[in-house]
Structures are given as C-alpha cells and as structure tokens.
Amino acid sequence: MKFLFFSWLAVFVGSWVVYVEYSSYTELCRGHECKNTICDKFQKGVIDGSACNSLCEKDTLYLGKCLSAKPSNQVYSGSWGDMEGIIKCQMKEDPHYDLGFELEPRKESASFSRPTKGTSMQKFKEMVFNHLKAKVGDQANLADLLTLVLGVADSNKDGEISLSEAHSAWALLQLNEFLLSVVLQEREHTPRLLGFCGDLYVMEKVPYVPLYGVSLPWMVELWIPASLRRSIDQWATPSWPRKAKIAIGLFELVEDVFHGTFGSFLMCDVSAAGFGYTERHDIKVVDARQIVPEVGFQEVMRERRCEEDTDCLYGRDCFTSCDLTKHRCTTEVTQPNLAKVCSTLKDYILYGAPSDIKDELDKQLYACIALKGASEQMEMEHSLILNNLKTLLWKKISHTKDS
C-alpha cells in the first residue's frame, strides 16, 4: 500500500513539474508569433531592414534556443548563414505580468505607423534629432549621433532611407539597447548589431554568458545553501589573471558610459547575467535594456510620485530618494555606476587574488562601493578610484600572456 501511495505521489509531482515547466515555456517563448508578425509587416511593405529577406523569404535567419526571461522581450540564440547571433524581438505584454516601471514605452505591439506616408527626409531627420535630444540631452555633437543612426537606418546602403526602413528605425530607436549599440558601436564592449527587421534585431553572440555563475535546475536551486552556491560559482570562473582582464574591461565600460561621447548613461542592472566575455576574455554587454540615458531617466523620475525612498527605484540598481515635501522622486541616483560594478565584482575578483595585492585590492573595492552619487567630490573620487583599480590589476597581469 505504501509503495502504491508513493508511486502515485511521484507521478503526481512529476506531472505537476512537467506542466509548470511547459506552461512557463509557452508563455516565455513565443518566437513563432514574433516572426509571423514581423514577416507579415515586411510582406505588406510596412517595414524593411537588412535581416528581413533572410528571416521571411530565404529562411537563412533561424531562431534556435529560447533564452527569454520575460514574455514581452523575446530572446533567442540563432544562426544567420554562417554567423551565430542573438535575436531579440518585442512582443505584446501579458496583462497579468507586473514588470514594473520602465523608461521604454509599453505598447501592445509596434504599429510601425511613424513616420507617416508623405514625410520628407528632412522632416524624418528632425523627428530623429528631437527624439535623440529628449533621450540624451542637448549634446554639442548630437548631429554626429544623428548621422550614425541614419547610417544604420539605411539598411541596404543605397544612400536613401525608404519609408519602410524609416518605420523600422523609428521603432528600434524607442529601445535603450538599440540606442546604446549605436552610441558605442566603435567600442569593443558591446556586441555588434548584425541586422534588423522592424523592431526585431540580431546581435553578435557572446560565447561565455553570464559573467560568472553556473546555471542549475530550479529544483536544485531551491535546496542548495547560499554559501555552497557561491563556492560553485567561483569554481567555474576563469583563472585570476583572466578575471582581472575581464574586470578591467568592465571598468572601461563604466568610463564609456560615464560622460561619454553622447552624454551619460546609467547602469540600472549590474548583475552578472547582463554581461559575458569572449574567447580573449574581453567583456561584452549582453543585456543593455537597463543601461539608460541619464537625461531621459531624470525626466521620468522627476514626475514620479512617491511616499518613501523605495518607491524611487528603476530596474534593479538605480535608486533615487523621495522628496517628502513634494512627494516626488529626486533625479540624482544615490550610487554611481562604478560603485555598483565594484559591488558585483568584489567576490569575483578577490577570490584567488595574489596575496601581495589582495589587501590593497580589497581596500580599493570597499572605497569604490562607498561612492555616493550626490557627493560634491564624486567625479574626482570616481576618477581616482577607477584609475587606481585599473592600474593595480593591469600591473599584475601586464607581463602575462593573459594580458
């Protein structure tokens, strides 16, 4: 009798697990819907882009393994001819998902209605210029950023932007990740944009993701102690000199987005899952949706109502404070990008560090984590600590083959 009971219990639990996993998969992984929607718009002449023919007619752009974490943002590994890539597509958001406050507009699906038919090229340039100005602020070199965006929009490189290409470019410009890929396209820390069709786009695949940590089945995650989990994550990391090179790359990324060529960006999710690295141990951003223009962030937070500081959070890591006299969030983040990066890197880079620099490295990391966004001396302290950390690590690995 006991045997029958436990057999029935095992079957019940197993069936429930399979059902939950399948339900979760079907909600998260809707790549076929995304492809059908995009290709329908392409075949009707509404959108165009460098990936459209391959996706919709030649079938040489293939959606492979589903990597989606949210139904509204479809992510797949895939192949495009002989290139491996990551394919991202925006989808209708399920109403029962509460995904929180976002800077990116929430819409059922991209209508691709802007610019309207009859819009001149000059008018489209003005639309894009004003949008970029609202996003990154009135930068002196905003015209250069406009030129970069228009260069990407001209997907067939014929020197002209058709209405269907303009529809795709305008939809993509609403996405933080696309904007950052244009802003940092000459830098090595963001994957290359390989192509697009509507608001579906293909990025270069990063070989090693996440930055650190081992993916375990969710049932194992439930029972494994946090201390053992951290140990497992550390065992799976590269050698220390290679970790040092990865860390230097992440510090360089902070420099790129802090008072960069086209304004400042805030890193609002600095978790290990948002980064990866190449065979040469060069850091790459794999999820830039939460790296947002500071000007746009401040504009939105200024209008946000609050009762306490915890109401003033964007993403995972961008906190401001609540002005209780106005019940509005303030616009200055409490922690700069560098402090958040140091917090993420601390255990990773200290584990296995050479004994002759470990104490100094620990000291510099703690000073880094203590940085405050509103401090009058923040920029000077920021630059000093950033240079100290890079110099300390670089001196230790510059003579090794890992450098």
Side-chain angles (χ1 to χ4, degrees), residues 150-177:
L150 296 177
V152 174
D154 181 16
S155 60
N156 58 5
K157 306 305 176 190
D158 64 353
E160 297 180 354
I161 299 175
S162 66
L163 181 61
S164 52
E165 286 175 327
H167 284 156
S168 293
W170 185 256
L172 287 169
L173 273 174
Q174 313 310 309
L175 308 175
N176 295 324
E177 185 163 51

Short mmCIF file of all heavy atoms in Angstrom, two decimals, residues 150-177:
data_model
loop_
_atom_site.label_atom_id
_atom_site.label_comp_id
_atom_site.label_asym_id
_atom_site.label_seq_id
_atom_site.Cartn_x
_atom_site.Cartn_y
_atom_site.Cartn_z
N LEU A 150 21.13 57.42 -38.76
CA LEU A 150 20.66 57.38 -40.15
C LEU A 150 21.47 56.38 -40.98
O LEU A 150 20.94 55.75 -41.90
CB LEU A 150 20.73 58.78 -40.77
CG LEU A 150 19.81 59.83 -40.14
CD1 LEU A 150 20.02 61.19 -40.79
CD2 LEU A 150 18.34 59.41 -40.24
N GLY A 151 22.75 56.23 -40.64
CA GLY A 151 23.58 55.24 -41.34
C GLY A 151 23.10 53.83 -41.09
O GLY A 151 23.09 52.99 -42.00
N VAL A 152 22.67 53.55 -39.85
CA VAL A 152 22.12 52.23 -39.53
C VAL A 152 20.76 52.04 -40.20
O VAL A 152 20.44 50.98 -40.72
CB VAL A 152 21.99 52.06 -38.00
CG1 VAL A 152 21.29 50.74 -37.66
CG2 VAL A 152 23.36 52.10 -37.33
N ALA A 153 19.95 53.11 -40.21
CA ALA A 153 18.60 53.03 -40.80
C ALA A 153 18.65 52.70 -42.28
O ALA A 153 17.76 52.00 -42.80
CB ALA A 153 17.86 54.35 -40.58
N ASP A 154 19.66 53.18 -42.98
CA ASP A 154 19.82 52.87 -44.41
C ASP A 154 20.37 51.46 -44.55
O ASP A 154 21.55 51.24 -44.80
CB ASP A 154 20.77 53.89 -45.04
CG ASP A 154 20.99 53.66 -46.54
OD1 ASP A 154 20.19 52.91 -47.14
OD2 ASP A 154 21.97 54.20 -47.08
N SER A 155 19.49 50.48 -44.40
CA SER A 155 19.92 49.09 -44.27
C SER A 155 20.53 48.51 -45.54
O SER A 155 21.40 47.63 -45.48
CB SER A 155 18.74 48.21 -43.83
OG SER A 155 17.69 48.28 -44.78
N ASN A 156 20.10 48.97 -46.71
CA ASN A 156 20.67 48.45 -47.96
C ASN A 156 21.80 49.32 -48.50
O ASN A 156 22.33 49.07 -49.60
CB ASN A 156 19.59 48.28 -49.03
CG ASN A 156 18.87 49.59 -49.34
OD1 ASN A 156 19.23 50.65 -48.83
ND2 ASN A 156 17.84 49.49 -50.18
N LYS A 157 22.17 50.37 -47.76
CA LYS A 157 23.31 51.24 -48.06
C LYS A 157 23.23 51.84 -49.47
O LYS A 157 24.23 51.94 -50.18
CB LYS A 157 24.63 50.46 -47.90
CG LYS A 157 24.80 49.79 -46.55
CD LYS A 157 24.66 50.76 -45.39
CE LYS A 157 24.72 50.09 -44.03
NZ LYS A 157 24.36 50.97 -42.92
N ASP A 158 22.02 52.26 -49.86
CA ASP A 158 21.86 52.89 -51.17
C ASP A 158 21.87 54.41 -51.08
O ASP A 158 21.61 55.11 -52.07
CB ASP A 158 20.57 52.42 -51.84
CG ASP A 158 19.31 52.84 -51.07
OD1 ASP A 158 19.45 53.38 -49.94
OD2 ASP A 158 18.20 52.60 -51.58
N GLY A 159 22.14 54.93 -49.89
CA GLY A 159 22.20 56.37 -49.71
C GLY A 159 20.86 57.03 -49.47
O GLY A 159 20.78 58.25 -49.31
N GLU A 160 19.79 56.24 -49.41
CA GLU A 160 18.46 56.76 -49.16
C GLU A 160 17.76 55.93 -48.09
O GLU A 160 18.08 54.75 -47.90
CB GLU A 160 17.62 56.74 -50.46
CG GLU A 160 18.18 57.63 -51.55
CD GLU A 160 17.33 57.57 -52.81
OE1 GLU A 160 16.37 56.76 -52.84
OE2 GLU A 160 17.62 58.33 -53.76
N ILE A 161 16.80 56.52 -47.41
CA ILE A 161 16.03 55.79 -46.40
C ILE A 161 14.58 55.75 -46.88
O ILE A 161 13.92 56.79 -46.99
CB ILE A 161 16.13 56.47 -45.03
CG1 ILE A 161 17.59 56.47 -44.56
CG2 ILE A 161 15.25 55.73 -44.01
CD1 ILE A 161 17.81 57.22 -43.26
N SER A 162 14.12 54.54 -47.17
CA SER A 162 12.74 54.38 -47.62
C SER A 162 11.79 54.51 -46.44
O SER A 162 12.22 54.49 -45.27
CB SER A 162 12.56 53.00 -48.27
OG SER A 162 12.73 51.98 -47.30
N LEU A 163 10.50 54.64 -46.72
CA LEU A 163 9.51 54.74 -45.65
C LEU A 163 9.51 53.49 -44.79
O LEU A 163 9.42 53.57 -43.56
CB LEU A 163 8.11 54.98 -46.23
CG LEU A 163 6.97 55.14 -45.21
CD1 LEU A 163 7.21 56.34 -44.30
CD2 LEU A 163 5.62 55.27 -45.92
N SER A 164 9.64 52.31 -45.42
CA SER A 164 9.65 51.06 -44.66
C SER A 164 10.90 50.95 -43.79
O SER A 164 10.84 50.46 -42.65
CB SER A 164 9.54 49.85 -45.60
OG SER A 164 10.51 49.92 -46.62
N GLU A 165 12.05 51.43 -44.28
CA GLU A 165 13.26 51.45 -43.45
C GLU A 165 13.09 52.44 -42.29
O GLU A 165 13.53 52.17 -41.16
CB GLU A 165 14.47 51.86 -44.29
CG GLU A 165 14.97 50.78 -45.24
CD GLU A 165 16.09 51.27 -46.13
OE1 GLU A 165 16.09 52.47 -46.49
OE2 GLU A 165 16.97 50.45 -46.47
N ALA A 166 12.46 53.56 -42.56
CA ALA A 166 12.23 54.57 -41.52
C ALA A 166 11.31 54.04 -40.43
O ALA A 166 11.51 54.32 -39.24
CB ALA A 166 11.65 55.84 -42.14
N HIS A 167 10.28 53.26 -40.82
CA HIS A 167 9.39 52.64 -39.82
C HIS A 167 10.19 51.75 -38.87
O HIS A 167 9.99 51.78 -37.65
CB HIS A 167 8.32 51.81 -40.52
CG HIS A 167 7.23 52.62 -41.13
ND1 HIS A 167 6.44 52.17 -42.18
CD2 HIS A 167 6.76 53.89 -40.86
CE1 HIS A 167 5.56 53.10 -42.51
NE2 HIS A 167 5.74 54.15 -41.72
N SER A 168 11.09 50.92 -39.44
CA SER A 168 11.91 50.03 -38.61
C SER A 168 12.83 50.82 -37.69
O SER A 168 12.92 50.55 -36.49
CB SER A 168 12.75 49.10 -39.50
OG SER A 168 11.94 48.20 -40.22
N ALA A 169 13.49 51.83 -38.26
CA ALA A 169 14.45 52.61 -37.47
C ALA A 169 13.76 53.34 -36.33
O ALA A 169 14.28 53.39 -35.20
CB ALA A 169 15.16 53.62 -38.38
N TRP A 170 12.58 53.90 -36.58
CA TRP A 170 11.87 54.63 -35.53
C TRP A 170 11.45 53.69 -34.40
O TRP A 170 11.55 54.05 -33.21
CB TRP A 170 10.66 55.35 -36.11
CG TRP A 170 9.97 56.21 -35.10
CD1 TRP A 170 8.80 55.94 -34.45
CD2 TRP A 170 10.42 57.46 -34.58
NE1 TRP A 170 8.49 56.95 -33.57
CE2 TRP A 170 9.47 57.90 -33.63
CE3 TRP A 170 11.54 58.26 -34.84
CZ2 TRP A 170 9.61 59.09 -32.93
CZ3 TRP A 170 11.68 59.45 -34.14
CH2 TRP A 170 10.72 59.86 -33.21
N ALA A 171 10.97 52.50 -34.75
CA ALA A 171 10.59 51.52 -33.72
C ALA A 171 11.80 51.11 -32.88
O ALA A 171 11.72 51.00 -31.65
CB ALA A 171 9.95 50.30 -34.37
N LEU A 172 12.94 50.91 -33.53
CA LEU A 172 14.15 50.49 -32.81
C LEU A 172 14.68 51.60 -31.91
O LEU A 172 15.23 51.33 -30.85
CB LEU A 172 15.23 50.07 -33.81
CG LEU A 172 15.00 48.73 -34.52
CD1 LEU A 172 15.99 48.57 -35.68
CD2 LEU A 172 15.14 47.57 -33.55
N LEU A 173 14.51 52.85 -32.33
CA LEU A 173 15.01 53.98 -31.53
C LEU A 173 14.29 54.11 -30.19
O LEU A 173 14.78 54.82 -29.30
CB LEU A 173 14.87 55.28 -32.31
CG LEU A 173 16.03 55.63 -33.24
CD1 LEU A 173 15.69 56.87 -34.05
CD2 LEU A 173 17.31 55.85 -32.44
N GLN A 174 13.16 53.46 -30.03
CA GLN A 174 12.45 53.51 -28.75
C GLN A 174 13.11 52.58 -27.73
O GLN A 174 12.76 52.61 -26.54
CB GLN A 174 10.97 53.10 -28.93
CG GLN A 174 10.25 53.76 -30.09
CD GLN A 174 10.40 55.27 -30.13
OE1 GLN A 174 10.16 55.95 -29.13
NE2 GLN A 174 10.80 55.80 -31.28
N LEU A 175 14.05 51.75 -28.16
CA LEU A 175 14.67 50.74 -27.30
C LEU A 175 16.03 51.21 -26.82
O LEU A 175 16.91 51.55 -27.63
CB LEU A 175 14.80 49.41 -28.05
CG LEU A 175 13.52 48.88 -28.72
CD1 LEU A 175 13.83 47.62 -29.52
CD2 LEU A 175 12.44 48.61 -27.67
N ASN A 176 16.24 51.18 -25.50
CA ASN A 176 17.52 51.60 -24.93
C ASN A 176 18.69 50.81 -25.50
O ASN A 176 19.77 51.35 -25.76
CB ASN A 176 17.50 51.42 -23.41
CG ASN A 176 16.50 52.32 -22.72
OD1 ASN A 176 16.28 53.45 -23.14
ND2 ASN A 176 15.85 51.81 -21.68
N GLU A 177 18.51 49.50 -25.66
CA GLU A 177 19.62 48.65 -26.10
C GLU A 177 20.08 49.01 -27.51
O GLU A 177 21.28 49.04 -27.79
CB GLU A 177 19.20 47.18 -26.05
CG GLU A 177 20.33 46.23 -26.38
CD GLU A 177 20.06 44.81 -25.94
OE1 GLU A 177 18.98 44.28 -26.27
OE2 GLU A 177 20.92 44.23 -25.25
#
